[in-house]
PDB file of all heavy atoms in Angstrom:
ATOM      1  N   LEU Y 864     235.530 115.976 156.871  1.00  0.00           N
ATOM      2  CA  LEU Y 864     236.494 115.830 155.776  1.00  0.00           C
ATOM      3  C   LEU Y 864     235.584 115.755 154.493  1.00  0.00           C
ATOM      4  O   LEU Y 864     234.714 115.132 154.371  1.00  0.00           O
ATOM      5  CB  LEU Y 864     237.207 114.570 155.879  1.00  0.00           C
ATOM      6  CG  LEU Y 864     237.840 114.322 157.171  1.00  0.00           C
ATOM      7  CD1 LEU Y 864     238.633 112.929 157.310  1.00  0.00           C
ATOM      8  CD2 LEU Y 864     239.059 115.483 157.481  1.00  0.00           C
ATOM      9  N   GLY Y 865     236.043 116.684 153.487  1.00  0.00           N
ATOM     10  CA  GLY Y 865     235.267 116.647 152.208  1.00  0.00           C
ATOM     11  C   GLY Y 865     236.260 116.175 151.045  1.00  0.00           C
ATOM     12  O   GLY Y 865     237.265 116.656 150.937  1.00  0.00           O
ATOM     13  N   ASP Y 866     235.645 115.175 150.375  1.00  0.00           N
ATOM     14  CA  ASP Y 866     236.406 114.761 149.168  1.00  0.00           C
ATOM     15  C   ASP Y 866     235.451 114.635 147.939  1.00  0.00           C
ATOM     16  O   ASP Y 866     235.684 113.823 147.103  1.00  0.00           O
ATOM     17  CB  ASP Y 866     237.053 113.331 149.385  1.00  0.00           C
ATOM     18  CG  ASP Y 866     236.033 112.256 149.624  1.00  0.00           C
ATOM     19  OD1 ASP Y 866     234.738 112.510 149.733  1.00  0.00           O
ATOM     20  OD2 ASP Y 866     236.327 110.974 149.575  1.00  0.00           O
ATOM     21  N   ARG Y 867     234.495 115.595 147.847  1.00  0.00           N
ATOM     22  CA  ARG Y 867     233.465 115.566 146.858  1.00  0.00           C
ATOM     23  C   ARG Y 867     232.755 114.197 146.607  1.00  0.00           C
ATOM     24  O   ARG Y 867     232.646 113.736 145.536  1.00  0.00           O
ATOM     25  CB  ARG Y 867     234.181 116.001 145.559  1.00  0.00           C
ATOM     26  CG  ARG Y 867     234.928 117.300 145.630  1.00  0.00           C
ATOM     27  CD  ARG Y 867     234.095 118.496 145.727  1.00  0.00           C
ATOM     28  NE  ARG Y 867     233.205 118.723 144.567  1.00  0.00           N
ATOM     29  CZ  ARG Y 867     232.482 119.771 144.404  1.00  0.00           C
ATOM     30  NH1 ARG Y 867     232.427 120.688 145.381  1.00  0.00           N
ATOM     31  NH2 ARG Y 867     231.751 119.841 143.350  1.00  0.00           N
ATOM     32  N   TYR Y 868     232.468 113.569 147.838  1.00  0.00           N
ATOM     33  CA  TYR Y 868     231.760 112.225 147.857  1.00  0.00           C
ATOM     34  C   TYR Y 868     232.715 111.266 147.038  1.00  0.00           C
ATOM     35  O   TYR Y 868     232.111 110.397 146.309  1.00  0.00           O
ATOM     36  CB  TYR Y 868     230.416 112.261 147.241  1.00  0.00           C
ATOM     37  CG  TYR Y 868     229.539 113.157 148.168  1.00  0.00           C
ATOM     38  CD1 TYR Y 868     229.246 114.514 147.841  1.00  0.00           C
ATOM     39  CD2 TYR Y 868     228.936 112.563 149.264  1.00  0.00           C
ATOM     40  CE1 TYR Y 868     228.440 115.213 148.807  1.00  0.00           C
ATOM     41  CE2 TYR Y 868     228.087 113.308 150.118  1.00  0.00           C
ATOM     42  CZ  TYR Y 868     227.874 114.656 149.819  1.00  0.00           C
ATOM     43  OH  TYR Y 868     227.054 115.346 150.702  1.00  0.00           O
ATOM     44  N   GLY Y 869     233.978 111.318 147.273  1.00  0.00           N
ATOM     45  CA  GLY Y 869     234.877 110.319 146.677  1.00  0.00           C
ATOM     46  C   GLY Y 869     235.493 110.719 145.487  1.00  0.00           C
ATOM     47  O   GLY Y 869     236.297 109.999 144.805  1.00  0.00           O
ATOM     48  N   GLY Y 870     235.051 111.912 144.869  1.00  0.00           N
ATOM     49  CA  GLY Y 870     235.622 112.359 143.603  1.00  0.00           C
ATOM     50  C   GLY Y 870     236.958 113.012 143.659  1.00  0.00           C
ATOM     51  O   GLY Y 870     237.597 113.145 142.553  1.00  0.00           O
ATOM     52  N   SER Y 871     237.437 113.370 144.851  1.00  0.00           N
ATOM     53  CA  SER Y 871     238.772 114.191 144.815  1.00  0.00           C
ATOM     54  C   SER Y 871     239.922 113.554 145.592  1.00  0.00           C
ATOM     55  O   SER Y 871     241.018 113.987 145.557  1.00  0.00           O
ATOM     56  CB  SER Y 871     238.469 115.612 145.480  1.00  0.00           C
ATOM     57  OG  SER Y 871     238.219 115.503 146.725  1.00  0.00           O
ATOM     58  N   ALA Y 872     239.710 112.293 146.166  1.00  0.00           N
ATOM     59  CA  ALA Y 872     240.679 111.652 146.978  1.00  0.00           C
ATOM     60  C   ALA Y 872     240.491 110.222 147.139  1.00  0.00           C
ATOM     61  O   ALA Y 872     239.292 109.756 146.995  1.00  0.00           O
ATOM     62  CB  ALA Y 872     240.824 112.430 148.301  1.00  0.00           C
ATOM     63  N   SER Y 873     241.508 109.504 147.385  1.00  0.00           N
ATOM     64  CA  SER Y 873     241.551 108.155 147.505  1.00  0.00           C
ATOM     65  C   SER Y 873     240.742 107.759 148.873  1.00  0.00           C
ATOM     66  O   SER Y 873     240.921 108.483 149.851  1.00  0.00           O
ATOM     67  CB  SER Y 873     242.911 107.591 147.573  1.00  0.00           C
ATOM     68  OG  SER Y 873     243.031 106.298 148.311  1.00  0.00           O
ATOM     69  N   PRO Y 874     239.984 106.660 148.828  1.00  0.00           N
ATOM     70  CA  PRO Y 874     239.266 106.225 150.116  1.00  0.00           C
ATOM     71  C   PRO Y 874     240.331 105.903 151.182  1.00  0.00           C
ATOM     72  O   PRO Y 874     240.037 106.142 152.364  1.00  0.00           O
ATOM     73  CB  PRO Y 874     238.426 104.974 149.598  1.00  0.00           C
ATOM     74  CG  PRO Y 874     238.272 105.263 148.200  1.00  0.00           C
ATOM     75  CD  PRO Y 874     239.513 105.897 147.732  1.00  0.00           C
ATOM     76  N   ALA Y 875     241.459 105.330 150.783  1.00  0.00           N
ATOM     77  CA  ALA Y 875     242.443 104.904 151.807  1.00  0.00           C
ATOM     78  C   ALA Y 875     243.064 106.169 152.451  1.00  0.00           C
ATOM     79  O   ALA Y 875     243.263 106.183 153.700  1.00  0.00           O
ATOM     80  CB  ALA Y 875     243.601 104.150 151.069  1.00  0.00           C
ATOM     81  N   LEU Y 876     243.256 107.261 151.676  1.00  0.00           N
ATOM     82  CA  LEU Y 876     243.819 108.477 152.271  1.00  0.00           C
ATOM     83  C   LEU Y 876     242.693 109.070 153.174  1.00  0.00           C
ATOM     84  O   LEU Y 876     243.095 109.510 154.285  1.00  0.00           O
ATOM     85  CB  LEU Y 876     243.999 109.543 151.115  1.00  0.00           C
ATOM     86  CG  LEU Y 876     244.400 110.809 151.553  1.00  0.00           C
ATOM     87  CD1 LEU Y 876     245.804 110.760 152.262  1.00  0.00           C
ATOM     88  CD2 LEU Y 876     244.597 111.808 150.367  1.00  0.00           C
ATOM     89  N   MET Y 877     241.453 109.199 152.832  1.00  0.00           N
ATOM     90  CA  MET Y 877     240.360 109.601 153.660  1.00  0.00           C
ATOM     91  C   MET Y 877     240.351 108.918 155.009  1.00  0.00           C
ATOM     92  O   MET Y 877     240.257 109.356 156.107  1.00  0.00           O
ATOM     93  CB  MET Y 877     239.013 109.586 152.930  1.00  0.00           C
ATOM     94  CG  MET Y 877     238.858 110.531 151.937  1.00  0.00           C
ATOM     95  SD  MET Y 877     238.712 112.226 152.495  1.00  0.00           S
ATOM     96  CE  MET Y 877     237.041 112.195 153.045  1.00  0.00           C
ATOM     97  N   SER Y 878     240.532 107.525 154.886  1.00  0.00           N
ATOM     98  CA  SER Y 878     240.537 106.754 156.127  1.00  0.00           C
ATOM     99  C   SER Y 878     241.631 107.120 156.951  1.00  0.00           C
ATOM    100  O   SER Y 878     241.508 107.114 158.273  1.00  0.00           O
ATOM    101  CB  SER Y 878     240.439 105.269 155.770  1.00  0.00           C
ATOM    102  OG  SER Y 878     239.265 104.831 155.167  1.00  0.00           O
ATOM    103  N   MET Y 879     242.896 107.279 156.447  1.00  0.00           N
ATOM    104  CA  MET Y 879     244.000 107.657 157.292  1.00  0.00           C
ATOM    105  C   MET Y 879     243.779 108.910 157.974  1.00  0.00           C
ATOM    106  O   MET Y 879     244.074 109.139 159.130  1.00  0.00           O
ATOM    107  CB  MET Y 879     245.223 107.736 156.280  1.00  0.00           C
ATOM    108  CG  MET Y 879     246.455 108.128 157.025  1.00  0.00           C
ATOM    109  SD  MET Y 879     248.072 108.205 156.126  1.00  0.00           S
ATOM    110  CE  MET Y 879     248.289 106.448 156.144  1.00  0.00           C
ATOM    111  N   ILE Y 880     243.403 109.958 157.191  1.00  0.00           N
ATOM    112  CA  ILE Y 880     243.039 111.321 157.773  1.00  0.00           C
ATOM    113  C   ILE Y 880     242.019 111.271 158.875  1.00  0.00           C
ATOM    114  O   ILE Y 880     242.076 111.778 159.920  1.00  0.00           O
ATOM    115  CB  ILE Y 880     242.624 112.270 156.753  1.00  0.00           C
ATOM    116  CG1 ILE Y 880     243.836 112.422 155.777  1.00  0.00           C
ATOM    117  CG2 ILE Y 880     242.284 113.691 157.334  1.00  0.00           C
ATOM    118  CD1 ILE Y 880     243.520 113.361 154.600  1.00  0.00           C
ATOM    119  N   GLU Y 881     240.884 110.528 158.600  1.00  0.00           N
ATOM    120  CA  GLU Y 881     239.829 110.352 159.579  1.00  0.00           C
ATOM    121  C   GLU Y 881     240.381 109.694 160.903  1.00  0.00           C
ATOM    122  O   GLU Y 881     240.034 110.136 161.968  1.00  0.00           O
ATOM    123  CB  GLU Y 881     238.774 109.422 158.931  1.00  0.00           C
ATOM    124  CG  GLU Y 881     237.540 109.248 159.874  1.00  0.00           C
ATOM    125  CD  GLU Y 881     236.396 108.369 159.189  1.00  0.00           C
ATOM    126  OE1 GLU Y 881     236.802 107.433 158.513  1.00  0.00           O
ATOM    127  OE2 GLU Y 881     235.300 108.736 159.283  1.00  0.00           O
ATOM    128  N   GLY Y 882     241.153 108.585 160.747  1.00  0.00           N
ATOM    129  CA  GLY Y 882     241.791 107.954 161.855  1.00  0.00           C
ATOM    130  C   GLY Y 882     242.670 108.888 162.766  1.00  0.00           C
ATOM    131  O   GLY Y 882     242.666 108.836 163.933  1.00  0.00           O
ATOM    132  N   HIS Y 883     243.349 109.680 162.067  1.00  0.00           N
ATOM    133  CA  HIS Y 883     244.274 110.637 162.643  1.00  0.00           C
ATOM    134  C   HIS Y 883     243.384 111.587 163.586  1.00  0.00           C
ATOM    135  O   HIS Y 883     243.886 111.759 164.820  1.00  0.00           O
ATOM    136  CB  HIS Y 883     245.107 111.421 161.623  1.00  0.00           C
ATOM    137  CG  HIS Y 883     245.767 112.557 162.281  1.00  0.00           C
ATOM    138  ND1 HIS Y 883     246.952 112.465 162.951  1.00  0.00           N
ATOM    139  CD2 HIS Y 883     245.461 113.908 162.309  1.00  0.00           C
ATOM    140  CE1 HIS Y 883     247.481 113.627 163.370  1.00  0.00           C
ATOM    141  NE2 HIS Y 883     246.614 114.520 162.994  1.00  0.00           N
ATOM    142  N   PHE Y 884     242.306 112.138 163.175  1.00  0.00           N
ATOM    143  CA  PHE Y 884     241.482 113.045 163.895  1.00  0.00           C
ATOM    144  C   PHE Y 884     240.827 112.358 165.054  1.00  0.00           C
ATOM    145  O   PHE Y 884     240.602 112.827 166.159  1.00  0.00           O
ATOM    146  CB  PHE Y 884     240.662 113.954 163.121  1.00  0.00           C
ATOM    147  CG  PHE Y 884     241.466 114.961 162.331  1.00  0.00           C
ATOM    148  CD1 PHE Y 884     241.448 114.921 160.930  1.00  0.00           C
ATOM    149  CD2 PHE Y 884     242.079 116.028 163.033  1.00  0.00           C
ATOM    150  CE1 PHE Y 884     242.037 115.973 160.242  1.00  0.00           C
ATOM    151  CE2 PHE Y 884     242.768 117.113 162.309  1.00  0.00           C
ATOM    152  CZ  PHE Y 884     242.663 116.923 160.920  1.00  0.00           C
ATOM    153  N   GLN Y 885     240.407 111.138 164.727  1.00  0.00           N
ATOM    154  CA  GLN Y 885     239.602 110.460 165.711  1.00  0.00           C
ATOM    155  C   GLN Y 885     240.630 109.969 166.941  1.00  0.00           C
ATOM    156  O   GLN Y 885     240.192 110.021 168.100  1.00  0.00           O
ATOM    157  CB  GLN Y 885     239.117 109.055 165.132  1.00  0.00           C
ATOM    158  CG  GLN Y 885     237.866 109.266 164.176  1.00  0.00           C
ATOM    159  CD  GLN Y 885     237.410 108.059 163.419  1.00  0.00           C
ATOM    160  OE1 GLN Y 885     238.094 107.232 163.247  1.00  0.00           O
ATOM    161  NE2 GLN Y 885     236.123 108.095 163.220  1.00  0.00           N
ATOM    162  N   ALA Y 886     241.808 109.670 166.531  1.00  0.00           N
ATOM    163  CA  ALA Y 886     242.849 109.326 167.620  1.00  0.00           C
ATOM    164  C   ALA Y 886     243.044 110.554 168.552  1.00  0.00           C
ATOM    165  O   ALA Y 886     243.523 110.368 169.654  1.00  0.00           O
ATOM    166  CB  ALA Y 886     244.173 108.828 166.921  1.00  0.00           C
ATOM    167  N   ALA Y 887     242.834 111.813 168.017  1.00  0.00           N
ATOM    168  CA  ALA Y 887     242.883 113.050 168.749  1.00  0.00           C
ATOM    169  C   ALA Y 887     241.842 113.196 169.749  1.00  0.00           C
ATOM    170  O   ALA Y 887     241.790 114.043 170.510  1.00  0.00           O
ATOM    171  CB  ALA Y 887     243.278 114.220 167.883  1.00  0.00           C
ATOM    172  N   GLY Y 888     240.785 112.395 169.570  1.00  0.00           N
ATOM    173  CA  GLY Y 888     239.663 112.576 170.430  1.00  0.00           C
ATOM    174  C   GLY Y 888     238.378 113.246 169.920  1.00  0.00           C
ATOM    175  O   GLY Y 888     237.551 113.559 170.587  1.00  0.00           O
ATOM    176  N   TRP Y 889     238.394 113.432 168.578  1.00  0.00           N
ATOM    177  CA  TRP Y 889     237.407 114.291 168.001  1.00  0.00           C
ATOM    178  C   TRP Y 889     236.457 113.412 167.113  1.00  0.00           C
ATOM    179  O   TRP Y 889     236.707 112.410 166.519  1.00  0.00           O
ATOM    180  CB  TRP Y 889     237.930 115.363 167.162  1.00  0.00           C
ATOM    181  CG  TRP Y 889     238.671 116.392 167.931  1.00  0.00           C
ATOM    182  CD1 TRP Y 889     238.373 116.931 169.241  1.00  0.00           C
ATOM    183  CD2 TRP Y 889     239.964 116.979 167.628  1.00  0.00           C
ATOM    184  NE1 TRP Y 889     239.290 117.695 169.597  1.00  0.00           N
ATOM    185  CE2 TRP Y 889     240.226 117.822 168.687  1.00  0.00           C
ATOM    186  CE3 TRP Y 889     240.802 116.821 166.555  1.00  0.00           C
ATOM    187  CZ2 TRP Y 889     241.513 118.559 168.801  1.00  0.00           C
ATOM    188  CZ3 TRP Y 889     242.013 117.499 166.576  1.00  0.00           C
ATOM    189  CH2 TRP Y 889     242.347 118.236 167.713  1.00  0.00           C
TER     190      TRP Y 889
END
């Protein structure tokens, strides 16, 4: 996941997306 090191998206959004893919087993 790329967010320009925090420059393009909310940390909370990044965590939600990260959790989604981790829950898929990746």
